[in-house]
Amino acid sequence: MRLAIAPVLVGGGRRLFPAEGPPVGLRLLHHETTPAGVAMHVYEPAGTPQFGVYGAG
């Protein structure tokens, strides 16, 4: 999967994947940033995802 991430906040939008789909882990294969600041990521499926917990503080 190729994902382009633009440095813009729009406050809302369409979902990238359906809410009822199964969780899938992804492995980052390649990444680069364009001169305009767009992050280009290339992922491959990596099986069942590992979930973690983030706690600030």
Side-chain angles (χ1 to χ4, degrees), residues 16-39:
L16 184 58
F17 301 104
E20 63 276 354
V24 175
L26 298 174
R27 179 178 299 113
L28 181 64
L29 296 177
H30 177 76
H31 65 88
E32 64 182 278
T33 303
T34 70
V38 176

Side-chain angles (χ1 to χ4, degrees), residues 2-50:
R2 296 172 191 262
L3 182 62
I5 305 163
V8 177
L9 295 176
V10 295
R14 296 184 317 187
R15 289 185 62 90
L16 184 58
F17 301 104
E20 63 276 354
V24 175
L26 298 174
R27 179 178 299 113
L28 181 64
L29 296 177
H30 177 76
H31 65 88
E32 64 182 278
T33 303
T34 70
V38 176
M40 306 296 291
H41 293 188
V42 179
Y43 293 93
E44 70 178 359
T48 304
Q50 299 295 315

